[in-house]
Amino acid sequence: MRRLRSRPRALLAALAGALCLYGLGSAAPAQATASADAGPPATAAASLNQLAQAHGKFIGSAAATSHFSDTQYTGILGSEFGQVTAENEMKWDTVQPSRGQFNYAPGDRVVDFAQQNGQSVRGHTLVWHSQLPGWVSGLPSGEVRTAMENHVTQVARHYAGDIDAWDVVNEPFNEDGTFRTSPFYNAMGRDYVAHALRAAKAADPGAKLCINDYNIEGVNAKSTAMYNLVRDLKAQGVPIDCVGIQGHLAIQYGFPSDLRQNMQRFADLGVDVAITELDVRMQLPVSAQKEATQSQYYTNVIDACLAVTRCKGVTVWGFPDKYSWVPGVFDGEGSATLWNDSYQPKQAYNAVAEALGGDPGPGPGPGPGDGCSASYAVPQQWNGGFTAAVTVSCDGDALSGWSVSWDYAAGQRVTNAWNATCQQTGTRVTCTNAPYNGNVPDGGSVTFGFNGAWTTTNPSPPTLTLG
């Protein structure tokens, strides 16, 4: 399928708003404009990824297309993160459920979403013992290498140019540092790792090639086995560019205090490192003390990555608690992500933002800047009704939350709104940002709309108050 080229996020938002709102009718829009209330400029609440970019890093998230119909989910996914990882859409059982029959549609949706939002993509994963279709496990030993190399070649070639880094081999080790039993290890021994990496390099020379595993955050038998494998692969001239440290942590087990030391020893081998699947779970119910400990764990991870030059960034394994994998796997545990079930940023979100140098306040909230304004337009009107659009834009400043208020002079009534929550008392209307569009960067804009009713006339409000 044809790939979309990356475009500036603000331009995409503006185009989307124009298509959705001004395509409704041919009537010329009436407009009113207001500047933000006078006052001291507020500190812009940049996205997590914008904060990370100031350090030469990224903050990413797993992406699941099953949630793409949830606009709050896609709004945060597209605005807070600079990299996305396909949660399940690029795994073997999805991509090649039957031998020789490839299904790229789910993974293509992840790539297209990322390109539309100016994000990079981490491919996950080409060779893994889990989520394999039955036909792979049923292969005769002599056919496994051919099947594995063909799968790696076909998938990596399909996404060539779209993937920043591949988890070529996922979770190759047991906890004691021995190789995990799998169809690949059983057929080829440890050499399967090198065969997979070479096939991936031939298919997509531009992608970074990684090995990814869990419980290798600190220096232990498993991480040392990974270290020795990477060292040996480098010595043999096998293409290996990076190590993924998953980062599935739990506050009841203590934090791996040697995380930074461990990442640095991999970096000293000449490979990049990244935290690829970070979440910090706790035993329920939630308490203030548990949340404080969780926040400190998140801070510790960010601090460790910032301290290691070759740590490229941190990816969280999803962001709202309601979609987290944790409760379904760890009985009685949860609350592992940065946003709660209602998409409100948690204390841990604030901790990550602060660790990256952002505002340590209570997460995104109101704070208009002097360089921001709101404009009102009526792209369509009919007898007794109309559609209006309000655009909040910034030039020379930014917002970390907004509300727009105005008074109607002719008795108009707002009937329903989208991309904002609107309330009307008498003639006064106040609309506040949705959970996913409160941040307006310098040079950016957001648009919300609503339908309304009128009787005799429908003049636009002369002034709007941005607060």
Side-chain angles (χ1 to χ4, degrees), residues 165-190:
W166 269 111
D167 290 326
V168 178
V169 175
N170 195 46
E171 301 176 3
F173 292 110
N174 294 309
E175 296 304 300
D176 62 359
T178 59
F179 272 88
R180 184 191 296 274
T181 298
S182 71
F184 314 109
Y185 181 77
N186 292 347
M188 292 169 272
R190 61 181 289 155

Side-chain angles (χ1 to χ4, degrees), residues 139-220:
L139 287 174
S141 179
E143 297 183 30
V144 173
R145 178 176 174 181
T146 298
M148 181 193 76
E149 290 181 340
N150 180 64
H151 179 83
V152 171
T153 299
Q154 296 302 322
V155 178
R157 182 180 294 161
H158 175 82
Y159 289 110
D162 293 329
I163 301 296
D164 180 66
W166 269 111
D167 290 326
V168 178
V169 175
N170 195 46
E171 301 176 3
F173 292 110
N174 294 309
E175 296 304 300
D176 62 359
T178 59
F179 272 88
R180 184 191 296 274
T181 298
S182 71
F184 314 109
Y185 181 77
N186 292 347
M188 292 169 272
R190 61 181 289 155
D191 289 343
Y192 86 88
V193 177
H195 296 324
L197 288 164
R198 290 191 177 105
K201 184 67 173 180
D204 186 2
K208 298 287 188 179
L209 306 182
C210 314
I211 307 175
N212 191 54
D213 215 327
Y214 66 93
N215 286 354
I216 61 168
E217 293 76 23
V219 177
N220 54 39

